[in-house]
Structure formats: structure tokens, C-alpha cells
């Protein structure tokens, strides 16, 4: 059975940093997916960029983008999800990718505003691929449904475990498949 983990944490807990460290600890080209990063000007957050693990980067959301959709003060550019995020997920959902790993940062409101992305995530969580995705702590019908699934492990990312968790997950994901993998520290 594939490993399916949601790393849940509060804003600023280090979810993106943990996912990037996990990717860096894995063999080259072992994973596909994307991360997001704040865009700051003069110390203030003005938007978010999306970067694929292959290194393609675009502005996903920004205060100067008109939207729709809008999430808070940010206009979101859904074409970034369609042009960067979706292609980084789709190859893993096909049969030849059995055992492949997909890293997603994050299953948040901006990303989930893209219907095609929600469908791609649904497909990943039933495919024979390992998935590690970061998720917010606030309630959302899409992520709440994922968190309730018996085949998905929710791991709390906290200041106490954020430095050791990427190494533990990397070691676990590189183990030969067994029926009962031990849960990571947390």
C-alpha cells in the first residue's frame, strides 16, 4: 500500500521548509511535485510563488493580481496551477509510476481554488504512488475529507519535530515496502 501523509501545521510552523528538506534528502529525481514560497517586499508579504521540484517558478498569487479567484487580499493566477503544478503531478498518477513519490506544498485555499488541481489530487490519492503533502490546520471540506480517510496518515508538524521529521520521512520512504511501516516521530 502506498504511503500517504499529510503534514499538518500552523502558518509559519515550517511546512515548506520540511518538505524542501525531505526532497533534498532523497535521491535525485526520486520525487515530483512543487513547493510554494512567500514573496516579500520591504518585509511585508505581498504574494506567493509556486516552484516545481524541477525548478520552474511563477507567481501564483499577489496583491497586484486582479483575480478571480481571490483569497484574502491576493489575486490568484489559476494558469500557474495548470501550467506548473498539474504537469508536476500527472506523470505520477500513471501506471508506469508505481512506487513514485509526489510532494505537494500545499493543499491550501489558493491551490484548491483550481478545480483541475483538486481532481489531480483526488487521482493521486487513489494511485499507486507515495504522497506527502502539507496541509493547513484550518477547516476546509476538501482537506477535512482527506484527513478522515483511513489510508492517509496525518502527521503534526511542530517546532519540536520539524528538524528531525524530514530525515525520518526520507528514511521511511526509501525503505523497501512492508505491510506496517512505523509512523514517523511526532
Amino acid at each position: 500500500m502506498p504511503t500517504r501523509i499529510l503534514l499538518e501545521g500552523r502558518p509559519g510552523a515550517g511546512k515548506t521548509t520540511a518538505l524542501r528538506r525531505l526532497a533534498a534528502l532523497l535521491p535525485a529525481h526520486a520525487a515530483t511535485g512543487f513547493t510554494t514560497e512567500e514573496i516579500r517586499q520591504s518585509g511585508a508579504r505581498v504574494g506567493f510563488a509556486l516552484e516545481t521540484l524541477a525548478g520552474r517558478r511563477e507567481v501564483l498569487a499577489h496583491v497586484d493580481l486582479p483575480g478571480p479567484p481571490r483569497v484574502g487580499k491576493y489575486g490568484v493566477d489559476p494558469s500557474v496551477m495548470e501550467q506548473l503544478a498539474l504537469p508536476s503531478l500527472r506523470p505520477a498518477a500513471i501506471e508506469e509510476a508505481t512506487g513514485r513519490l509526489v510532494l505537494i506544498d500545499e493543499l491550501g485555499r489558493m491551490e484548491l481554488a483550481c478545480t483541475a488541481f483538486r481532481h489531480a489530487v483526488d487521482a493521486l490519492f487513489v494511485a499507486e504512488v507515495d504522497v506527502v503533502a502539507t496541509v493547513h490546520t484550518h477547516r476546509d471540506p476538501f482537506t477535512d475529507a482527506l484527513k478522515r480517510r483511513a489510508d492517509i496518515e496525518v502527521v503534526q508538524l511542530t517546532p519540536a519535530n520539524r528538524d528531525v521529521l524530514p530525515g525520518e520521512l526520507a528514511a521511511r520512504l526509501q525503505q523497501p515496502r512492508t505491510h506496517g511501516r512505523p509512523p514517523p516521530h511526532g
Side-chain angles (χ1 to χ4, degrees), residues 78-147:
S79 71
V80 171
M81 294 302 295
E82 293 164 7
Q83 294 169 11
L84 293 185
L86 291 178
S88 75
L89 304 182
R90 282 192 183 122
I94 59 175
E95 284 184 30
E96 303 97 57
T98 297
R100 184 115 171 141
L101 172 63
V102 180
L103 303 178
I104 302 171
D105 176 49
E106 82 178 284
L107 300 177
R109 293 187 324 190
M110 291 177 194
E111 296 83 2
L112 294 173
C114 176
T115 302
F117 175 67
R118 288 194 311 270
H119 293 308
V121 169
D122 281 337
L124 280 175
F125 278 97
V126 297
E128 288 297 313
V129 296
D130 294 331
V131 180
V132 178
T134 64
V135 66
H136 44 72
T137 55
H138 71 271
R139 297 192 59 79
D140 176 89
F142 186 87
T143 56
D144 289 351
L146 287 175
K147 291 174 190 178

Side-chain angles (χ1 to χ4, degrees), residues 2-186:
T3 300
R4 297 176 178 143
I5 297 172
L6 295 178
L7 289 180
E8 183 181 55
R10 299 185 57 74
K15 296 183 299 289
T16 299
T17 301
L19 205 68
R20 285 186 175 156
R21 285 183 185 158
L22 172 59
L25 291 168
L26 297 169
H29 307 295
T32 187
F34 67 89
T35 61
T36 55
E37 181 177 24
E38 292 182 352
I39 300 170
R40 293 192 166 268
Q41 288 179 344
S42 304
R45 184 172 64 195
V46 295
F48 295 88
L50 184 143
E51 184 173 354
T52 67
L53 295 184
R56 292 187 62 205
R57 181 183 170 100
E58 293 289 337
V59 174
L60 171 63
H62 199 277
V63 293
D64 294 336
L65 287 175
R70 291 196 66 79
V71 175
K73 64 182 179 180
Y74 306 104
V76 179
D77 183 352
S79 71
V80 171
M81 294 302 295
E82 293 164 7
Q83 294 169 11
L84 293 185
L86 291 178
S88 75
L89 304 182
R90 282 192 183 122
I94 59 175
E95 284 184 30
E96 303 97 57
T98 297
R100 184 115 171 141
L101 172 63
V102 180
L103 303 178
I104 302 171
D105 176 49
E106 82 178 284
L107 300 177
R109 293 187 324 190
M110 291 177 194
E111 296 83 2
L112 294 173
C114 176
T115 302
F117 175 67
R118 288 194 311 270
H119 293 308
V121 169
D122 281 337
L124 280 175
F125 278 97
V126 297
E128 288 297 313
V129 296
D130 294 331
V131 180
V132 178
T134 64
V135 66
H136 44 72
T137 55
H138 71 271
R139 297 192 59 79
D140 176 89
F142 186 87
T143 56
D144 289 351
L146 287 175
K147 291 174 190 178
R148 287 191 299 269
R149 286 179 44 166
D151 63 335
I152 294 178
E153 179 183 352
V154 179
V155 176
Q156 298 298 317
L157 183 72
T158 67
N161 71 1
R162 69 178 169 203
D163 293 331
V164 298
L165 195 55
E168 291 176 354
L169 289 174
R172 177 177 166 186
L173 290 163
Q174 293 179 81
Q175 288 176 0
R177 294 220 185 261
T178 61
H179 290 306
R181 290 183 184 170
H185 182 274

